[in-house]
Amino acid sequence: MSEIDYGIDAWGHGLVTVLPNGDVGLLDPLAPDGAAVALPMIVRDLRDRGIRTPIQLRVQSFLDFGLRRLCEAFARTMESLSYRGPYRGVFPIKVNQQSEVVGRIAEVGQQYNYGLEAGSKPELIVALAQPLAREALVICNGIKDDEFIRLAILSRKIGFNTIIVLESLKEFEIVRAVSEELGIKPLLGVRVKLTQTVTGKWEASSGDRSTFGLGTFEVVQLIDRLTETGYLDCLVLQHNHLGSQVPNVIDVRRTVTEACRFFVELCRMGVPLKYLDMGGGLGIDYTGEKRSTENSVNYTVEEYCFAILETVAYAMDEAGLPHPAIVTESGRFVTALSSTLIFDILDATYYDVVDKPAADPGDHHYLTYLLAVESYLEPKRLQECYNDAAYYRDEMRALFRRGQLDLRQMARAERAFLYTLSRIAAMDREHDGPGELHDKLDQYVDHYHGNFSLFQSLPDVWAIDQIHPIVPLQRLNETPKRRAVLNDITCDSDGKIDRFVLADGLHNSLPVHDLKDDEEYYIGVFFVGAYQETLGDLHNLFGDANVVTIVLDGQGGFHVEHEVEGDRISEVLSYVEYDPQDMLGAFRKRVDKAVAVGDVSAEERRVLIGAYKDSLAGYTYFE
Ligand SMILES: Cc1ncc(COP(=O)(O)O)c(C=O)c1O
């Protein structure tokens, strides 16, 4: 086995493993002791069907697993605490709006009375077309207009438990007008701003400066207005959203404690609250650290359930109130694990020079000194050797800029510098040199060029420094000799990944193997099922990747459940208002002009127009 530990046992959630032949495999959560399916084998199988990388591989078995784990953790914890209310979880559609995902969650969720959360009109339209169980909730958050509210209220007529969560006093007036016009009373919720802040990526938007919801003064105003207008009996839900990816379970306890204070007070004011909705926040351990860092969590789903339920039970018992139904709007936890982005490496730029440039009697003396640095390289002198090599290289650059060194000498100097650096880096890896040196050496790792767009498929990596576990999908029984950052296929220098999880923590480069001419080299980016699919954009007009959904059979096999072809070039062009037919017409006119003046033959005309048409129909990625 390889000497590098990618930390798969720590972050793999028992779903990802390494097979004896070095391939990364997926395990069926329903058969953890069963055989794993090798990911490179899946990719080859899909390639034979004409589906090429980049591929967003959705594993339905993992999606079901996420949902069941959440609902069953709540059920078990409720039982162990003798909690007397039900769990009524809802899936926030914005976390993954794909029809297949929402449809599957609605279907599997039926047995758990699992519902949906809609933050916009289109999302409500999606929710109302799903086969939800009778007891399931549809929770409407966000800013709502008359049309949104009308549909929400009307849906009660056909058996949906649709709750309109009020975000402002003004919103209530629209609800009242629509309700009176329709003659149907709404189910209402109120989003309360808590003062407790939570740590993690969304710390700044938590607490009383959060964008959504009502502060204490407005809550009281709303209650008075509901009483005055005869709508107090409609207010059944209190909503509090903690923020996403909450790393520390203490924050859950603190916010639930404050939420309970509001709940108890509102009940004392005569509000018939039945549901306490704690929003999202249940995090995923992306790094396997099991710590309260931004990309990890210091709790399990069971501890999360316990923190909520025990706190609520205690507060309600103390106030002599019945236990409310608990609602959570966990999106990330349900869907994140279910998708993996797989892409191939197209090419590499190597900074790791293995062959020492031979000394030449005509060399500039700085180059001679540079080549000599290796002779006094030893673990104690790593930093000194680096400083010397950088000094000689920089002096030669200055000479080159002043016209005192020719291009060949300069090229040999750059090569000698990279060679010396590779020797220093190798010794540094073995003997763990000083931290500052690590940072310098990290700037010279190889660049592996991947067939993907960061902006389309991993927008959070770019926007909020989200860490996803990333590993080569093959040859993990072979020690990787190189370190690389991953560049995407866009022409944007931000399109790169340079933070990676290994067993011993975060690194600025990924251990990778030498590329072989006759072998594809695949990289997997794990746990990209939450937020990434629709937040992505069309930077450089790279469109959606191919999406394939598979089901694992627990015995080392799988079947393809569903495939959605990625965007064709003509599709992405039409997203930005081009008409591919008009474009073809314009191109054809230009070719015809060239034919008319004799620059292009009839045969060349056929080839030119054929190439343009084929490109319009092609995949936006490297084929
Ligand atoms: C109101 C609301 N509910 C639920 C969620 C989902 O949160 P998470 O993905 O952390 O479960 C969000 C996302 O931020 C949200 O804004």
Side-chain angles (χ1 to χ4, degrees), residues 11-83:
W11 56 252
H13 289 76
L15 306 173
V16 188
T17 187
V18 182
L19 300 169
N21 71 351
D23 282 350
V24 174
L26 299 181
L27 287 160
D28 185 345
L30 294 180
D33 299 326
V37 196
L39 272 167
M41 193 263 282
I42 297 178
V43 178
R44 282 192 292 272
D45 190 281
L46 295 176
R47 194 186 50 201
D48 292 345
R49 292 163 177 256
I51 306 167
R52 284 155 309 201
T53 44
I55 295 170
Q56 171 109 17
L57 185 74
R58 187 173 292 135
V59 186
Q60 197 182 77
S61 327
F62 293 179
L63 180 63
D64 297 357
F65 171 68
L67 179 58
R68 289 189 200 284
R69 258 194 88 192
L70 175 67
C71 295
E72 284 165 19
F74 263 107
R76 274 195 308 275
T77 316
M78 282 176 157
E79 201 184 323
S80 75
L81 287 172
S82 303
Y83 191 86

Side-chain angles (χ1 to χ4, degrees), residues 187-473:
L187 284 177
L188 295 177
V190 56
R191 183 156 175 174
V192 173
K193 259 186 209 181
L194 300 179
T195 57
Q196 279 289 346
T197 53
V198 297
T199 51
K201 280 192 200 294
W202 283 272
E203 182 168 357
S205 59
S206 65
D208 59 3
R209 295 292 299 149
S210 60
T211 320
F212 295 103
L214 283 74
T216 39
F217 184 70
E218 293 149 321
V219 170
V220 173
Q221 273 186 315
L222 177 72
I223 301 307
D224 291 345
R225 184 73 185 137
L226 291 174
T227 313
E228 216 172 273
T229 50
Y231 276 77
L232 195 64
D233 59 339
C234 301
L235 186 55
V236 292
L237 178 139
Q238 177 186 312
H239 182 289
N240 312 94
H241 173 57
L242 312 187
S244 199
Q245 184 65 21
V246 173
N248 194 342
V249 75
I250 286 295
D251 289 336
V252 178
R253 284 238 181 225
R254 290 199 181 115
T255 40
V256 175
T257 304
E258 189 182 353
C260 286
R261 283 292 302 124
F262 276 94
F263 198 95
V264 168
E265 288 294 321
L266 288 173
C267 290
R268 285 184 181 148
M269 290 166 89
V271 183
L273 289 176
K274 273 173 64 185
Y275 302 98
L276 176 61
D277 180 349
M278 289 311 299
L282 173 56
I284 287 279
D285 191 0
Y286 289 99
T287 59
E289 294 167 286
K290 299 185 174 48
R291 293 172 54 191
S292 55
T293 54
E294 278 193 356
N295 295 288
S296 180
V297 288
N298 68 356
Y299 55 90
T300 60
V301 60
E302 284 79 15
E303 285 167 57
Y304 169 83
C305 297
F306 193 86
I308 294 180
L309 293 171
E310 195 199 40
T311 312
V312 177
Y314 178 80
M316 298 305 142
D317 292 346
E318 214 185 25
L321 291 170
H323 294 175
I326 298 296
V327 180
T328 66
E329 304 178 355
S330 298
R332 186 184 298 277
F333 184 85
V334 173
T335 57
L337 302 186
S338 65
S339 278
T340 306
L341 176 73
I342 299 174
F343 56 85
D344 48 310
I345 296 297
L346 299 170
D347 199 2
T349 308
Y350 295 119
Y351 288 86
D352 189 6
V353 175
V354 258
D355 299 322
K356 183 172 183 172
D360 186 298
D363 279 343
H364 190 280
H365 61 275
Y366 279 144
L367 178 51
T368 311
Y369 297 159
L370 175 53
L371 285 167
V373 170
E374 191 189 5
S375 65
Y376 52 89
L377 184 61
E378 55 169 309
K380 280 196 303 249
R381 299 179 72 182
L382 283 171
Q383 180 76 54
E384 178 191 345
C385 288
Y386 172 82
N387 296 344
D388 289 355
Y391 173 75
Y392 298 134
R393 192 268 322 258
D394 290 348
E395 287 298 302
M396 276 185 283
R397 283 182 174 176
L399 291 174
F400 178 71
R401 281 196 291 269
R402 289 198 296 269
Q404 292 163 336
L405 203 69
D406 69 18
L407 182 60
R408 280 192 190 282
Q409 274 284 296
M410 192 61 233
R412 279 167 48 67
E414 295 287 359
R415 202 81 191 145
F417 175 72
L418 289 180
Y419 169 75
T420 310
L421 217 62
S422 302
R423 309 302 316 134
I424 296 173
M427 197 173 277
D428 176 66
R429 277 201 286 277
E430 234 175 89
H431 298 277
D432 203 17
E436 193 179 309
L437 182 63
H438 287 308
D439 296 344
K440 294 278 183 211
L441 293 174
D442 275 341
Q443 293 167 10
Y444 291 96
V445 296
D446 295 330
H447 286 188
Y448 272 40
H449 304 282
N451 192 11
F452 74 107
S453 159
L454 189 80
F455 308 94
Q456 176 59 254
S457 298
L458 302 168
D460 279 350
V461 174
W462 174 60
I464 55 168
D465 292 331
Q466 174 69 52
I467 301 278
H468 290 281
I470 298 177
V471 277
L473 297 182

